[in-house]
Amino acid sequence: MKALVIEDDVNIAELLRIYLEKEGFEVRLAADGEKGVGEAKSFSPDIVLLDIMLPVMDGWAVCKSIRKISKVPIIMLTAKGETADKVKGLELGADDYMTKPFESKELIARIRAVLRRYGKDAAGGRVLEFDRLVINMDAYELIVDGKKIDTPPKELELLFHLASSPNRVYTRNQLLDEVWGFDYFGDSRTVDVHIKRLREKLENVSDKWTLKTVWGVGYKFETAGD
Amino acid sequence: MKALVIEDDVNIAELLRIYLEKEGFEVRLAADGEKGVGEAKSFSPDIVLLDIMLPVMDGWAVCKSIRKISKVPIIMLTAKGETADKVKGLELGADDYMTKPFESKELIARIRAVLRRYGKDAAGGRVLEFDRLVINMDAYELIVDGKKIDTPPKELELLFHLASSPNRVYTRNQLLDEVWGFDYFGDSRTVDVHIKRLREKLENVSDKWTLKTVWGVGYKFETAGD
DNA sequence: CCATGCGTTAACAAAATGTAAAAAAACGCG
DNA sequence: CGCGTTTTTTTACATTTTGTTAACGCATGG
């Protein structure tokens, strides 16, 4: 799965590269619009991330040019507050729209969503199923016995993260970094509270899995069969 | 599996060496940035731990230099409170971030996580198996005949440590240093109590191994067949 | 048979977690 | 923009679990 990033700010471009490579993408960077269009031809990416503010040829023009030669999904990147541009971008053939500064999770989620619309999803890990339980991060839904359970986003993200690697222990700080974000600065007891609320929602659902405390270490999503 | 530590404070560097060697890493230390970059080339480590505050060339510069020549995973080490720097570090190509003072558990967990992302996880080392017994430090589980035995962390860590080097004798003070931590000051009889409780849990499980007292010296995890 | 080291137990202290409720922040809506 | 609502975070306290110490008696070795 290949991703092309068209972005003149090196720091942001490299940050995107890190996020994407962690997700298993092969990444190529282009620092201006012309190069970007060129790479769109020769590299034939599966997805394009395109900054609006570019030197020489702006994002809109690049978007138009790429659309002439390819149906590759395009996600536009823009500075905060320019909401009006959204419509313009979508008219020109962009598939989604993201505001800087963005979070890795958000970005990845959108990329997955766009790719799915194109039927190209990368071996999706966005939906997990366990006995009587479904965690669907595409719809942000928690489902028990086919019945939706109203769950706030953070709780769901935490559960999803733990359930992504069953039986593996995560420390509170790990969870804060990986679910809340690297730059989050807060009390690690916050995790406890979310765990408690998840347990309330999930108690007595199944004996094949459970949210377990590993005393002195952290939490894990424990499965029986494994 | 090789680890490079770039850190000017000798105490911290040596502490890291102990932690890492305990986990089976081959460790090399570099006291400043230049040497660090040099070692990154010649030693070709599997992971780099990099302090931000370094004399001559600071951590950011070192990170950048290493990134030019290698894709080796880098974990940045920093003093507490400098949260903003997290983003900077990640932009420059670091893979994770740790705040001093750190705990051995946390550090090891993060290293494992980063290596896992790179698909290089040292599978060996975290899970030990002996006749009818499994010690799994990823899940913090002690398993006898496929059945989990509830075990407090310290006990499990002690057992794991002893079983990591079967038939090797450890003195109580060694165990206190290596399991409890070099900065622990307490009665060495504490070890006895933990050993006793482990023996309770493990008695009559197998005749192929045993927790043996070496009179006047300490303890060892003795195996028969080996 | 004495001095020392070890096993064992129980009680205590310390640390980590569970829980509930309040405060703060984010969100949706008119 | 201000309001009420929901979500998230913090705080404080109760509870549980674990770690440590101290005491006593047995085992070991000289």
Side-chain angles (χ1 to χ4, degrees), chain A residues 11-46:
Chain A
N11 287 330
I12 294 175
E14 284 297 332
L15 184 58
L16 288 171
R17 181 212 287 281
I18 290 165
Y19 287 161
L20 290 166
E21 286 185 345
K22 268 180 195 166
E23 286 293 314
F25 285 90
E26 181 187 347
V27 181
R28 189 157 301 181
L29 305 181
D32 66 58
E34 264 183 61
K35 286 177 193 154
V37 177
E39 291 286 7
K41 279 186 221 173
S42 57
F43 183 53
S44 65
D46 298 283

Side-chain angles (χ1 to χ4, degrees), chain A residues 212-226:
Chain A
K212 195 159 186 179
T213 302
V214 180
W215 212 93
V217 185
Y219 297 99
K220 66 178 169 180
F221 182 87
E222 191 174 77
T223 57
D226 200 38

Side-chain angles (χ1 to χ4, degrees), chain B residues 47-90:
Chain B
I47 182 116
V48 173
L49 301 182
L50 172 57
D51 187 21
I52 290 178
M53 298 288 288
L54 286 173
V56 190
M57 191 197 279
D58 76 11
W60 308 122
V62 175
C63 183
K64 233 163 153 177
S65 299
I66 292 178
R67 266 287 160 280
K68 280 182 193 158
I69 56 168
S70 164
K71 285 191 174 180
V72 61
I74 299 174
I75 297 180
M76 306 289 286
L77 310 175
T78 179
K80 200 165 186 176
E82 304 164 12
T83 325
D85 290 341
K86 267 189 184 175
V87 178
K88 188 173 170 188
L90 294 175

